[in-house]
């Protein structure tokens, strides 16, 4: 750091010393000037006195001085007794010697007789005085001869003064008067003064210096303290900047990691770590770019697991998830390194096959994928068998856009499923028409309730022995203004897929209950009306509550209602028992629909709280044609009897079928032979008329 004190002390000391020196010198100069002037004045006064009183005596001596020898001159001077006179005049004064010179510089008189006759022609003092200007000079003499004796160590001022005289009114210089004055005492006193003054000046300046030094030193201390504080602050700031930088670096890398993680999550399926739909689309778009440049081909394989939902429903989601990860590993092992496998939905995978070179490669890979499913999957020591359906679309023949290729592979996959699952299918143009129709149907169905295109038809159930009406089955009908009559087998699965079935199911329940009440009012008593339930309605869990409300509002008692649930739905439901028990607790009847198609065991059946088994119409159709169907029907009737359940044969079309069923002891029949599903008014008209006939016959 800049040493202020040192620089200041050096510089100010030099300046103060210089100032002290200059002041002392100046003071000394003034003092001596004054002394010289003062003594010169005295010498001039003395000369004046001499001119007035002694010059007339001395003048004749002067006039002969040119020619006289020094001895003669001394004698002449002695004659005028000048020495004594001057000695008297100067007694008590500082004058110690007097010389008188002629205009030529010859000493005509001196109080020191040895000097008489000396020439001072070239002396500057003499020359100045002879030209009219008196002059003085201070000198120090080790020895000096005076009037009386010789003095030692003297400070002497010698003054040359012109001697004037007036002749005929003209002033002229006749000679030069030299006066020596002893100023030793003055000089000593002046020197003494000078010492005191110098000491005073030095003291004042030293005090000033000291004061300034203290001030500067104090300032330096303050500056040092501030510098130290500044340095500490800087240091602290540096440290904090370093810490903050470190923190920031950490934050940035953390954020970077989080961003990477987010990016990964945004593009991957968390369960299988496979690319998700988003990343798949990006990859497909890049692949399409490549085939555009290199004129190659690629294929998109849409893989959907068959009945995967059943696994989730019966074994739980945890096992479903494990199964999915195992399947993923198998699929990954099968595809080539450059190809992309992605998971785009619950049980939907999609695969990009690069550089296929044609359909043969795509088909080969699809077959390999399907082959993977032949081996069972082991989850929690359980051996699970699963198959998949694969739809294939190809670029460029089926299109060059991501969405188009995915949609077409999806449509092809649906076709594979429709063809019986566990197979692959290439996309064909006809599929687009089907897919478009599905989309159209979906849109129209949503408006079907509000635009009154839906209605409930009723098909009678008849007592085998008496032919009396025992009940009816409510069957939904959709007469679309745009597409005409659409069978429930086409729109019910669609409504289930889209979730619209909830709204639809509620509507049917309300309509049916309302109709029972209307018939009651009209005098037609239909003992039990059965309504088909979809799996979605059962899963929702609020069905008992819903039914209770509807029955309360329409005034229908629970024993008038029967709920038909297909055997396969019950088999697939995880908590089927609890659900059915809740419904049964309401007091409504439960029927197992399409019995014989769901492989339920006898022990399982026994536990179900159902009251009716509806033998699937597929077996009834075989009566009279197929012995094994007849045997199955017989077994089913026996089972229902042994379980104390009533049996209903569905789809009875011929008298032969009816006769066979009657022989077996089947209790109820339902089929075209006894009546097709018809509107409520038709049903009422027919069965009220029938009641009249029975009464008449009875
Ligand atoms: P399902 O419950 O087994 O209904 C019986 C089906 O067999 C009805 O077909 C009926 O018209 C038909 N059928 C009755 N007797 C005969 C016959 O003698 N010969 C032939 N060939 N067929 C006969 P539909 O009305 O086309 O219904 C088909 C399926 O759609 C129903 O099968 C049921 O599973 C479902 N479905 C119908 N209405 C509803 C509904 O309101 N809700 C639900 N969830 N499903 C319904
Ligand atoms: Mg039914
Ligand atoms: Mg049925």
């Amino acid at each position: 750091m800049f040493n202020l004190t040192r620089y200041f002390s050096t510089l100010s000391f030099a300046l103060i010393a210089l100032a002290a020196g200059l002041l002392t010198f100046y003071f000394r100069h003034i003092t001596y000037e004054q002394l010289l002037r003062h003594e010169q004045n005295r010498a001039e006064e003395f000369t004046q006195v001499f001119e007035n009183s002694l010059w007339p005596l001395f003048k004749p001596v002067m006039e002969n001085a040119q020619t006289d020898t020094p001895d003669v001159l001394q004698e002449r001077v002695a004659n005028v007794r000048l020495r004594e006179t001057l000695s008297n005049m100067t007694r008590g004064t500082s004058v110690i010697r007097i010389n008188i010179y002629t205009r030529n510089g010859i000493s005509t008189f001196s109080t020191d007789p040895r000097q008489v006759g000396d020439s001072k022609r070239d002396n500057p003092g003499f020359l100045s005085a002879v030209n009219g200007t008196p002059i003085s000079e201070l000198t120090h003499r080790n020895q000096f001869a005076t009037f009386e004796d010789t003095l030692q160590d003297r400070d002497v001022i010698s003054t040359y003064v012109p001697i004037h005289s007036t002749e005929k009114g003209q002033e002229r210089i006749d000679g030069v008067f030299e006066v020596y004055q002893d100023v030793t005492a003055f000089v000593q006193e002046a020197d003494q003064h000078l010492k005191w003054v110098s000491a005073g000046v030095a003291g004042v300046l030293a005090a000033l210096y000291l004061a300034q030094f203290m001030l500067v030193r104090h300032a330096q201390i303050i500056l040092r303290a501030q510098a130290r504080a500044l340095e500490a602050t800087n240091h602290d700031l540096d440290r904090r900047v370093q810490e903050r930088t470190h923190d920031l670096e950490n934050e940035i890398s953390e954020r970077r990691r989080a961003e990477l993680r987010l990016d990964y999550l945004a593009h991957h399926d968390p369960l299988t770590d496979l690319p998700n739909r988003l990343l798949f689309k990006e990859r497909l778009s890049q692949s399409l770019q490549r085939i555009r440049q290199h004129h190659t081909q690629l294929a998109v394989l849409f893989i959907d697991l068959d009945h995967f939902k059943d696994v989730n429903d019966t074994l739980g989601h945890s096992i479903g998830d494990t199964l999915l990860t195992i399947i993923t590993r198998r699929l990954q092992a099968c595809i080539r390194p450059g190809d992309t496998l992605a998971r785009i939905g619950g049980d939907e995978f999609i695969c990009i096959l690069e550089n296929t070179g044609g359909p043969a490669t795509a088909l080969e890979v699809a077959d390999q994928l399907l082959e993977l499913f032949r081996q069972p999957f082991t989850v929690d020591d359980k051996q699970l068998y699963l198959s998949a359906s694969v739809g294939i679309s190809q670029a460029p023949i089926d299109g060059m856009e991501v969405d188009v290729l995915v949609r077409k592979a999806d449509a092809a996959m649906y076709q594979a499923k429709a063809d019986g699952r566990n197979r692959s299918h290439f996309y064909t143009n006809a599929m687009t028409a089907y897919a478009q129709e599905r989309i159209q149907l979906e849109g129209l169905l949503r408006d079907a309730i509000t635009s009154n295109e839906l209605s409930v038809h009723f098909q009678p159930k008849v007592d085998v022995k008496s032919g009396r009406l025992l009940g009816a089955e409510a069957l939904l009908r959709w007469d679309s203004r745009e597409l005409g009559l659409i069978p429930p087998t086409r729109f019910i699965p669609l409504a289930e897929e889209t979730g619209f079935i909830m709204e639809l199911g509620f509507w049917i329940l309300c309509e049916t209950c309302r109709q029972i009440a209307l018939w009651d009012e009209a005098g037609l008593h239909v003992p039990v009306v059965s309504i088909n339930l979809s799996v979605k309605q059962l899963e929702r869990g609020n069905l008992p509550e819903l039914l209770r409300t509807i029955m309360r509002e329409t005034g229908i008692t629970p024993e008038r209602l029967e709920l038909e649930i297909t055997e396969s739905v019950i088999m697939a439901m995880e908590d089927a028992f609890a659900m059915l028990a809740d419904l049964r607790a309401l007091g409504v009847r439960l029927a197992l629909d399409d019995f014989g198609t769901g492989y339920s065991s006898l022990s399982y059946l026994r536990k179900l709280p159902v009251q009716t088994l509806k033998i699937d119409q597929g077996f009834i159709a075989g009566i009279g044609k197929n012995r094994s169907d007849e045997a199955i029907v017989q077994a089913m009737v026996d089972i229902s009897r042994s379980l104390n359940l009533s049996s209903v044969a569905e789809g009875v079309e011929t008298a032969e079928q009816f006769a066979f069923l009657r022989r077996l002891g089947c209790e109820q029949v339902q089929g075209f032979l006894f009546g097709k599903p018809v509107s409520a008014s038709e049903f009422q008209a027919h069965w009220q008329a029938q009641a009249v006939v029975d009464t008449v016959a009875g």
Side-chain angles (χ1 to χ4, degrees), residues 2 16 28 44 57 129 191 231 297 323 326 328 408 434 478 503 583:
F2 180 73
I16 283 171
R28 194 171 188 274
E44 282 176 32
L57 287 173
D191 280 351
E231 206 174 328
Q297 296 177 47
L323 183 59
I326 297 172
T328 301
K408 290 185 172 177
Y434 171 74
W478 178 19
E503 210 174 314
L583 289 173

Side-chain angles (χ1 to χ4, degrees), residues 13 35 185 229 288 308 354 360 402 430 437-438 445 500 541 570 591 642 679 690:
F13 184 78
L35 185 62
L288 288 171
F308 181 75
E354 314 267 355
V402 171
E437 187 200 276
R438 253 173 65 97
L445 183 60
F500 184 63
I570 288 180
S642 69
S679 69
Q690 187 63 41

Side-chain angles (χ1 to χ4, degrees), residues 473-475 530-532 564 566 593-594 614 650 670:
E473 179 174 4
L475 293 160
S530 51
I531 300 165
N532 293 285
E564 289 189 10
T566 58
D593 202 358
D594 300 344
K614 290 189 81 176
E650 282 188 288
Q670 178 185 348

